[in-house]
Each structure stands twice: as structure tokens, then as C-alpha cells.
Amino acid sequence: WLVGADRVALDVSGRRHIAAALAGVFDSQNNGACKRYDLGVAGRRTANAVFDETHAVQNAEALTYAIDLTPLVRYDVLGIDAFCATAVQRMRDAVVTAIHAVAH
């Protein structure tokens, strides 16, 4: 739900075996009786790479997204609530602008 400017794409292509091992640690989540989170995580990372920057050449095979929390450390006056509210507001504004552009 983050706008592109708030999202940091992290290339996690090079260590898929480590990611699979980490996801496999949660056996209760990955057995046949539950959802296969191990497969879901790998699939989502592949999808992130495919759909990231749709008009550019794909450079990564797997991406995960992060948010830069540096402003929370750098600026003592900024609380986590204000930080999150600002990110949500930017997403809201982007959605409203896109809908407005299509509707008019």
C-alpha cells in the first residue's frame, strides 16, 4: 500500500536457498494442513520482480519491499504514528488522483 517513492525495492535474487531455508523454519505454517507460506513468499518475491517498474527491463529475479525508517531515527520529533499517517496520506492522495484522472 506504499506509493513508489516510499517503497525501497531490495534485490533478494542471489540467496534464494537461504530464503527457502528461513521460510522452512516455520514448519507449522508449511505443512500440508496449512497454507504453504514457503511457496507464497517465494512466489510473491518473484511477482514483485516481474511487476516492479513495469516499463523497464527486469534486472532482479526476486524482490522484497521495505520502507526507509531513517526519518524516525534522524528526527526526534517524528513519532511512528505521524510517520505512518503521512505514508497512508500519500497513498490516499495517489489513489484519489488516479481515480479522478480516470473519472474526468
Side-chain angles (χ1 to χ4, degrees), residues 18-98:
I18 294 174
L22 287 171
V25 168
F26 301 98
D27 290 332
S28 65
Q29 299 292 321
N30 298 321
N31 66 26
C34 293
K35 294 180 180 182
R36 292 292 309 269
Y37 287 96
D38 56 334
L39 299 177
V41 168
R44 176 166 291 172
R45 289 176 175 173
T46 300
N48 288 345
V50 169
F51 296 116
D52 186 63
E53 301 294 332
T54 57
H55 294 85
V57 175
Q58 181 178 337
N59 294 319
E61 294 179 11
L63 288 177
T64 192
Y65 293 118
I67 187 168
D68 184 0
L69 300 175
T70 303
L72 289 172
V73 177
R74 185 173 291 157
Y75 307 110
D76 291 338
V77 296
L78 183 63
I80 188 73
D81 53 345
F83 180 81
C84 291
T86 301
V88 169
Q89 185 64 45
R90 280 192 293 270
M91 182 61 187
R92 180 197 174 282
D93 293 347
V95 169
V96 169
T97 298

